């Protein structure tokens, strides 16, 4: 018996195939652009008046491979400082007589309060190294406004830091060389700040902006960072005025900037030196430029030179050199001339949220906040006006009201489709997890998330179109002497237009800069509709040719939507491995729900504009069944994919904890483990049998029977430790550390306590790090009647409460020195002050090293030792 297909079904599947090819081609273009395939890296022998990625990578190779560890407390950080300074001195010797070059190495000290990851802490630091180069013309004045470019050379715990931020240092060294060798004489001084303490919460930048002699001369800055190994080098933040982003728009060779990034950036756990210069202390106009892709390797041992995406540093270097020239020539730089205080405000501040976005790095569109306030209101005005103009030939309020009601109906149906495009994949993701043994199967395979969630998202998008005919129009086609199809197409199109117009207006009301996306869509839909209406006169409304006339004018927007949506999808998918573990039962579902929702949103704005007139091709039961079957098949296949790989490792935190009772006694010791995604430690031990065997974990092991590691145990990495959930503790021996160290961290009185007239007590304390060798940070957790202390200009931060405990005041101390820390605490009553001291040391015992080596390659283990002691004063 021969199979027979409805001709309309055949046409529907042909149209679906056509759309698949179109979006496939656009995805290939976006992939090529996002991974810098169009940028040709220059080799080591490139002309000296050009930026060379190969020369920059050579610096990265030295910093991340030849130097072992650039973490605070390790010898490699000092070696990195020596290497950077040596390279700058070599560059200085090459300079001609028209340039004045100054190179300095400074040790910064200070203390201040800050809010990090939403938590209040105090920071005290000493002897952190900054390397600074100032390039200016021979006749420039000392206090002339300057341009600062900042990057850090320290790296996070356990990471070689090739991307974060060896790539920044390598780019800056090559940029400094290029400045000298190109023959360019800067019209204003250019300051290169290589700061040695960013990973410790922006201490190097704070030390510069508070203490350096050139701090008052900085008129603008560029902060270069890396949240991955390359790809998009995106302007993620710009401010506090709009002119830095305008300079970028006018000068960037490969523009990669998006004002909407400032709305997304606060969601990501972390921060950059940008906040120190532009927000907390400087109020200096500047840019925050960050490598976005390759986030799998960010802050892991896999952040190596071979992971850097080719072309990324070349594009960054070419952009930065052009930016330095533009900033040094900018007339706005004069605004800060002679500025005495960083508290000054700027006349442009009301225009700080300018709207700008690049189109596939080919060009950039920029307009001011005031212009956006007008432009972004135009779509809603058009939406409200169109029913009136279309009813000019049919006088009467009823005709206008009927048409407007149909438009509102179209808008409700389109909005419902967009919402269902999100709800369907979210629902499917939850159902999948009910039958799966682990979450995040898409993490190492982003294409799997698209295969699972895009088809069911399309089903949700099309369902309102299927039921459209069950809701009659308010207008009578016979009275208007037109077809019902024409009225339906009109209502669906203008309803969709109205939906995007309202979203654009909502962005305006909220003061956000992301409205350009829906505004550009609204602007694209007008000519699209005109072309479609003209084509129907020749080919009819249900002709494929008419549909093509609708699609083709939208392609520039659709290509941008795939570009923007692809960037958002890749960036957030890669970051799901470090977003934190939420307690059960909901925490297990959150990453899959988030990714499903992102795919739904991206599908909605990439395909949604086609639905009003193209929906009749796809809204057929055969197509919907096919899409659902495709999703179900993808969900079934997902069980065959392991969530992690060496290219997308699972992050594991391994702390060897020592509870000390005195300067040379260990009261208790344990191995403490935690993870920062939804696949718990039980998953880890199940798929890492050698580790489970070493820890004597059997098949009956569960969280109910295990020893739970308390939050105070992780205080040495507070507040990052608040991303943990259900950490586990395993007892172990302490023999190895007793052989290694003679003395442990210890807190004691160095002079008698004093009491004032109001009965407040001042306790004078001395803190020794003992004989620890590679201290990264020490954390004081103080509870009790604390009323003041000697840190942060005698100002207490807001108290923190951890898991319902008493209010705590937390201070992080860092910086190497042969001298002990001395400070005082003031109590408002005779009640004792409880001080818990947690010290993070990067040295591991042989037993801990052996245990770490047992973890599989797909697990990236950040391992360290923590020494904890508690005192009452």
């Amino acid at each position: 018996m021969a199979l027979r297909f409805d001709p309309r079904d055949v046409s529907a599947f042909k149209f679906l195939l056509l759309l698949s090819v179109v979006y496939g081609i656009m995805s290939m273009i976006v992939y090529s652009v996002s991974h810098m395939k169009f940028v040709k890296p220059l080799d080591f022998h490139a002309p000296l008046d050009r930026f060379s990625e190969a020369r920059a990578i050579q610096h990265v190779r030295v910093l991340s491979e030849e130097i072992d560890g650039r973490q605070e407390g390790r010898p490699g950080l000092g070696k990195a400082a020596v290497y950077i300074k040596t390279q700058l001195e070599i560059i200085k010797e090459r300079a001609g007589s028209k340039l004045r070059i100054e190179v300095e190495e400074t040790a910064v000290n200070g203390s201040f309060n800050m809010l990090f990851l939403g938590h209040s802490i105090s920071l005290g630091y000493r002897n952190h190294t900054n390397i600074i180069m100032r390039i200016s013309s021979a006749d420039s004045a000392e206090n002339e406004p300057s341009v600062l470019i900042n990057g850090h050379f320290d790296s996070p715990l356990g990471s070689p830091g090739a991307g974060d931020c060896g790539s920044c240092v390598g780019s800056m060294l090559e940029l400094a060389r290029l400045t000298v060798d190109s023959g360019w004489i800067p019209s204003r001084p250019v300051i290169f700040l290589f700061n040695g303490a960013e990973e410790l919460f922006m201490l190097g930048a704070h030390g510069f902006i508070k203490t350096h002699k050139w701090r008052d001369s900085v008129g603008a800055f560029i902060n270069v960072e890396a949240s991955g190994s390359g790809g998009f080098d995106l302007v993620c933040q710009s401010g506090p005025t709009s002119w830095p982003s305008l300079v970028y728009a006018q000068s960037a060779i490969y523009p990669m900037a998006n004002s909407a990034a400032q709305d997304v950036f606060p969601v990501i756990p972390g921060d950059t030196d940008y906040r120190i210069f532009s927000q907390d202390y400087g109020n200096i106009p500047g840019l925050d430029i960050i490598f976005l892709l390759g986030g799998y390797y960010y802050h892991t041992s896999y952040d190596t030179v071979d992971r850097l995406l080719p072309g990324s540093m070349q594009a960054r270097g070419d952009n930065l050199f052009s930016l330095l020239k533009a900033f040094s020539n900018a007339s706005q730089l004069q605004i800060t001339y002679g500025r005495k205080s960083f508290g000054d405000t700027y006349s442009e501040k009301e225009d700080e949220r300018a709207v700008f976005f690049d189109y596939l790095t080919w060009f950039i569109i920029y307009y001011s906040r005031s212009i956006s306030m007008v432009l972004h209101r135009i779509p809603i005005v058009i939406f409200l006006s169109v029913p009136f103009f279309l009813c000019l030939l049919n006088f009467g309020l009823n005709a206008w009201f009927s048409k407007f009601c149909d438009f509102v109906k179209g808008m409700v149906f389109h909005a419902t489709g967009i919402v269902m495009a999100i709800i369907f994949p979210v629902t499917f993701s939850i159902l999948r997890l009910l039958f799966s043994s682990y979450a995040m199967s898409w993490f190492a395979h982003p294409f799997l998330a698209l295969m699972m969630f895009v088809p069911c998202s399309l089903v949700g998008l099309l369902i309102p179109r299927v039921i459209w005919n069950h809701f009659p129009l308010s207008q009578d086609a016979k009275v208007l002497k037109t077809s019902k199809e024409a009225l339906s197409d009109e209502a669906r199109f203008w309803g969709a237009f109205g939906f995007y117009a309202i979203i654009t207006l909502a962005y305006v009301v909220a003061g956000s800069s992301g409205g350009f996306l829906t505004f550009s869509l609204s602007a694209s839909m007008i000519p699209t509709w005109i072309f479609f209406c003209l084509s129907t006169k020749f080919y009819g409304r249900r002709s494929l040719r008419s549909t093509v006339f609708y699609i083709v004018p939208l392609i520039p927007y659709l290509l941008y939507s795939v570009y923007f949506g692809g960037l958002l999808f890749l960036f957030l998918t890669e970051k799901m491995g470090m977003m934190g573990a939420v307690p059960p039962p909901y925490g297990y579902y959150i990453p899959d729900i988030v990714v499903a929702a992102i795919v739904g949103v991206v599908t909605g704005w990439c395909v949604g504009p086609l639905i009003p007139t193209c929906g009749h091709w796809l809204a057929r039961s055969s197509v919907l069944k096919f899409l659902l079957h495709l999703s179900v098949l993808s969900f079934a296949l997902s069980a065959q994919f392991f969530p992690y790989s060496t290219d997308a490792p699972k992050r594991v935190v391994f702390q060897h904890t020592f509870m000390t009772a005195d300067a040379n006694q260990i009261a208790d010791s344990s191995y403490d483990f935690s993870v920062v995604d939804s696949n718990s430690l039980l998953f880890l031990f199940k798929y890492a049998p050698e580790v489970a065997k070493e820890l004597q974990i059997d098949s009956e092991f569960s969280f109910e029977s295990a020893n739970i590691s308390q939050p105070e145990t992780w205080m040495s990495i507070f507040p990052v430790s608040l991303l943990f959930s259900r950490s586990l503790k395993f007892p172990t021996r302490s023999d190895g550390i007793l052989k290694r160290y003679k003395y442990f961290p210890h807190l004691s009185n160095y002079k008698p306590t004093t009491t004032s007239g109001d009965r407040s007590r001042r306790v004078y304390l001395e803190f020794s790090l003992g004989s620890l060798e590679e201290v990264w940070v020490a954390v004081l957790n103080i509870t009790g009647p604390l009323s003041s202390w000697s840190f942060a200009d005698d100002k207490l931060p807001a108290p923190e409460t951890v898991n319902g405990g008493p209010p705590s005041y937390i201070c992080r101390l860092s910086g190497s020195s042969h001298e002990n820390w001395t400070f005082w605490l003031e109590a408002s009553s005779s009640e004792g002050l409880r001080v818990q001291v947690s010290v993070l040391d990067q040295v591991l015992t042989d037993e801990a090293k052996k245990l770490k080596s047992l973890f599989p390659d797909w697990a990236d283990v950040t391992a360290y030792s923590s020494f904890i002691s508690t005192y009452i004063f």
Side-chain angles (χ1 to χ4, degrees):
M1 179 179 175
L3 293 174
R4 300 184 65 182
F5 295 97
D6 188 319
R8 290 175 296 179
D9 288 337
V10 174
S11 298
F13 280 102
K14 286 182 178 179
F15 186 72
L16 181 61
L17 179 61
L18 173 64
L19 286 184
S20 300
V21 171
V22 170
Y23 280 97
I25 293 172
M26 289 192 290
S27 299
M28 291 172 63
I29 294 172
V30 167
Y31 179 86
S32 176
V33 169
S34 64
H35 289 75
M36 301 293 122
K37 302 293 186 182
F38 62 94
V39 179
K40 181 182 179 181
L42 297 186
D43 61 26
F44 195 84
H45 302 290
L48 294 180
D49 62 349
R50 294 290 306 277
F51 184 97
S52 163
E53 178 176 294
R55 288 191 286 256
I57 285 182
Q58 183 59 33
H59 296 303
V60 182
R61 195 174 304 280
V62 172
L63 292 169
S64 61
E65 292 182 354
E66 297 180 20
I67 295 176
D68 182 23
R70 306 192 315 276
Q71 295 78 17
E72 169 58 35
R74 299 193 64 188
L77 187 61
K79 294 177 181 177
V82 170
Y83 175 79
I84 293 168
K85 188 176 181 182
T86 301
Q87 294 301 310
L88 295 180
E89 294 289 356
I90 293 172
I91 294 171
K92 179 179 179 180
E93 293 175 2
R94 299 163 65 109
S97 60
K98 294 182 179 180
L99 288 176
R100 182 170 67 185
I101 297 183
E102 301 162 83
V103 178
E104 291 187 1
E105 177 179 343
T106 62
V108 293
N109 311 277
S111 183
F112 63 104
N113 296 328
M114 78 179 307
L115 196 68
F116 188 78
L117 298 182
H119 298 276
S120 296
I121 55 175
S122 186
L123 300 146
Y125 63 95
R126 62 187 183 184
N127 296 333
H128 288 307
T129 300
N130 285 341
I131 310 295
I132 307 160
M133 169 186 265
R134 185 176 187 264
I135 303 177
S136 59
S137 62
D139 56 355
S140 66
E142 185 69 21
N143 62 347
E144 193 170 352
S146 56
V147 181
L148 172 73
I149 179 167
N150 171 75
H152 68 92
F153 63 89
D154 64 322
S155 60
L157 286 174
S159 175
D164 181 24
C165 207
S167 64
C168 308
V169 176
S171 298
M172 289 171 61
L173 287 172
E174 173 65 2
L175 196 62
R177 181 210 60 77
L178 179 59
T179 302
V180 171
D181 288 345
S182 65
W184 173 52
I185 307 298
S187 56
R188 310 283 177 77
V190 177
I191 299 173
F192 290 83
L193 171 58
F194 301 83
N195 89 70
E198 189 271 348
E199 299 293 353
L200 291 161
F201 301 176
M202 293 78 74
L203 303 183
H206 179 269
F208 175 87
I209 208 66
K210 294 294 287 186
T211 64
H212 199 272
K213 63 182 179 181
W214 292 327
R215 68 187 189 277
D216 288 321
S217 73
V218 178
F221 75 94
I222 303 168
N223 181 60
V224 288
E225 254 291 2
S227 185
S229 58
F232 288 103
D233 196 23
L234 194 72
V235 175
C236 290
Q237 300 184 89
S238 173
T241 66
S242 61
W243 72 264
S245 55
L246 176 59
V247 171
Y248 181 90
Q250 294 171 338
S251 61
I253 296 173
Y254 306 103
M256 291 171 273
N258 197 306
S259 54
Q262 296 189 141
D263 302 324
V264 178
F265 191 81
V267 178
I268 308 303
D271 227 320
T272 72
D273 287 325
Y274 173 88
R275 67 174 287 185
I276 298 295
F277 297 124
S278 185
Q279 299 169 354
D280 293 357
Y281 293 94
N283 200 30
I284 306 171
L287 302 172
D288 199 17
I289 305 179
I290 306 176
F291 277 154
L292 287 191
L293 298 186
Y296 290 126
Y297 319 121
Y298 174 67
H299 283 205
T300 72
S301 61
Y302 291 100
D303 185 11
T304 54
V305 174
D306 59 296
R307 303 282 185 178
L308 296 176
L309 290 176
S312 301
M313 291 182 68
Q314 185 66 50
R316 165 176 276 186
D318 290 342
N319 275 351
L320 287 178
F321 191 52
S322 182
L323 277 174
L324 285 182
K325 290 181 176 180
F327 269 112
S328 66
N329 291 322
S331 60
Q332 296 92 333
L333 204 64
Q334 292 290 346
I335 294 172
T336 58
Y337 186 86
R339 183 157 49 94
K340 300 297 183 182
S341 168
F342 286 115
D344 295 343
T345 57
Y346 296 95
S347 60
E348 293 182 80
K349 185 146 188 179
E350 68 275 10
D351 200 31
E352 61 180 345
R353 295 304 296 268
V355 177
F356 52 90
F357 58 97
D358 71 282
Y359 190 86
L360 279 74
T361 74
W362 298 341
F363 58 88
I364 191 167
I365 296 174
Y366 176 98
Y367 48 96
S368 66
R369 170 74 173 165
S370 56
I371 292 177
S372 73
M373 295 291 286
V374 176
L375 281 181
H376 291 186
R377 285 181 167 91
I378 292 177
I380 195 67
V381 173
I382 293 175
F383 174 70
L384 297 174
S385 303
V386 164
F388 173 78
F389 287 108
L390 292 178
C391 292
L392 285 177
L393 299 178
N394 301 279
F395 297 100
L397 183 61
N398 287 338
W400 174 85
F401 184 73
S402 296
K403 190 168 287 291
F404 185 74
C405 286
D406 286 341
F407 284 11
V408 171
K409 173 189 172 183
M411 181 171 64
V412 171
F413 269 71
H414 193 78
T416 302
I418 296 296
V419 172
M420 293 183 72
I422 301 172
I423 291 176
F424 267 55
V426 167
T427 303
F428 272 70
S429 72
I430 295 172
L431 291 175
R432 188 191 73 85
L433 291 178
L434 294 177
F435 302 98
S436 176
S437 59
Y438 49 75
M440 298 174 61
S441 59
W442 39 261
F443 181 62
H445 321 281
F447 68 89
L448 187 61
L450 299 177
M451 289 176 58
M452 290 192 296
F453 300 133
V454 169
C456 59
S457 180
L458 288 174
V459 172
L461 197 62
L462 290 168
I463 282 180
R465 181 66 180 84
V466 173
I467 63 176
W468 171 269
N469 291 331
H470 295 283
F471 295 82
L473 294 171
S474 300
Q475 301 173 91
D476 192 332
K478 294 180 179 179
V479 173
L480 297 176
K481 298 180 180 180
T482 186
S483 66
K484 184 179 178 181
E485 290 80 6
L487 292 178
S488 295
D489 284 347
E490 182 183 77
R492 286 191 295 266
F493 174 84
W494 288 109
F497 182 90
F499 171 76
Y500 297 121
I502 289 175
I503 297 296
T504 305
L505 183 64
Y507 274 108
V508 173
V509 173
S512 172
S513 301
F516 67 84
L517 187 65
T518 48
F519 171 76
S520 59
L521 171 56
S522 301
S524 300
M525 289 179 75
I526 300 294
T528 293
W529 180 246
I530 294 172
F531 274 92
F532 176 74
C533 290
L534 291 175
S535 67
T536 58
K537 296 182 182 297
F538 299 96
Y539 307 112
R541 290 193 169 272
R542 295 298 177 257
S543 166
L544 181 60
R545 292 183 180 182
S546 297
T547 304
V548 171
F549 270 94
Y550 181 87
I551 295 174
V552 170
L554 266 181
I555 284 180
Y557 167 78
L558 296 177
L559 180 57
Y560 181 78
S561 68
V562 173
Y563 172 70
F564 183 87
L567 168 63
L568 182 65
F569 168 73
L570 285 175
F571 176 69
L572 292 180
T573 299
E574 292 177 350
K575 284 291 182 280
M576 281 296 119
M578 57 172 290
M579 295 296 283
V582 178
Y586 307 110
Y588 179 65
Y589 299 91
I590 286 179
D592 282 75
I593 289 175
V594 169
V595 169
I598 292 169
V599 172
V601 170
V602 172
T603 302
W605 78 47
C606 289
V607 184
L610 301 180
I611 298 302
T613 56
C614 305
H616 72 277
W617 292 95
L618 301 175
R620 300 190 57 79
S621 61
S622 58
V623 173
L624 297 182
K625 289 177 182 177
F626 170 76
L627 292 173
L628 285 175
H629 288 157
L630 188 59
S631 280
V632 172
L633 178 61
S634 299
F635 285 131
L637 288 175
S638 69
Q640 307 303 314
F641 288 84
F642 193 68
Y644 309 101
S645 69
T646 54
D647 292 325
K650 180 177 180 62
R651 297 164 189 264
V652 181
V653 183
F654 169 26
Q655 175 177 287
H656 193 178
T657 307
F658 300 96
M659 309 297 294
T660 62
D662 203 345
N664 54 8
Q665 294 184 19
I666 300 291
D668 189 23
S669 65
S670 62
Y671 292 145
D672 293 83
F673 295 92
S674 195
V675 293
V676 288
D677 65 28
S678 61
N679 286 316
S680 69
L681 285 168
L682 296 185
F683 166 91
L684 177 68
F685 296 141
K686 177 181 178 180
Y687 293 98
E690 293 185 2
V691 177
K693 181 179 179 181
E694 183 71 15
L695 294 173
Q696 300 180 1
I697 295 174
D698 56 28
S699 59
E700 304 298 323
F701 184 81
S702 67
F703 282 109
E704 288 72 22
S705 61
N707 293 322
I708 302 298
S709 184
Q710 298 303 312
E712 285 191 349
T713 304
W714 300 95
M715 194 55 63
S716 62
I717 54 173
F718 181 90
V720 176
S721 58
L722 297 178
L723 298 174
F724 301 165
S725 175
R726 296 201 295 181
S727 305
L728 295 180
K729 173 181 181 179
F730 300 87
T732 187
R733 298 169 60 89
S734 57
D735 300 353
I737 206 69
L738 290 171
K739 296 176 182 177
R740 177 108 192 187
Y741 292 139
K742 184 177 181 181
Y743 299 106
F744 303 117
H746 182 65
L747 191 62
S748 60
N749 294 95
Y750 73 91
K751 75 181 209 179
T753 300
T754 60
T755 304
S756 62
D758 59 357
R759 296 186 179 180
S760 63
R761 299 179 297 116
R762 180 166 290 188
V763 182
Y764 298 89
L765 300 176
E766 182 177 28
F767 176 45
S768 168
L769 294 172
S771 53
L772 303 192
E773 297 172 4
E774 296 183 0
V775 173
W776 192 59
V777 72
V779 178
L780 307 178
N781 177 21
I782 305 168
T783 56
L786 184 67
S787 58
S788 185
W789 60 10
S790 57
F791 301 113
D793 298 324
D794 304 349
K795 296 178 182 178
L796 293 174
E800 289 289 323
T801 301
V802 180
N803 284 10
S808 297
Y809 297 91
I810 297 168
C811 181
R812 290 169 54 99
L813 304 175
S814 64
S816 58
S817 175
H818 297 296
E819 299 180 0
N820 294 336
W821 290 89
T822 57
F823 57 94
W824 53 261
L825 305 176
E826 190 169 275
S828 59
S829 69
S830 59
E831 181 185 349
L833 289 172
R834 180 180 181 272
V835 183
Q836 181 198 52
V837 178
S838 302
V839 181
L840 192 158
D841 183 35
Q842 295 161 86
V843 172
L844 294 175
T845 63
D846 292 338
E847 295 82 3
K849 290 178 181 178
K850 177 185 175 183
L851 180 58
K852 180 184 176 184
S853 69
L854 297 177
F855 281 86
D857 291 341
W858 51 261
D860 182 77
V861 183
T862 299
Y864 58 87
S865 302
S866 182
F867 297 83
I868 303 174
S869 54
T870 304
Y871 310 85
I872 304 293
F873 296 100

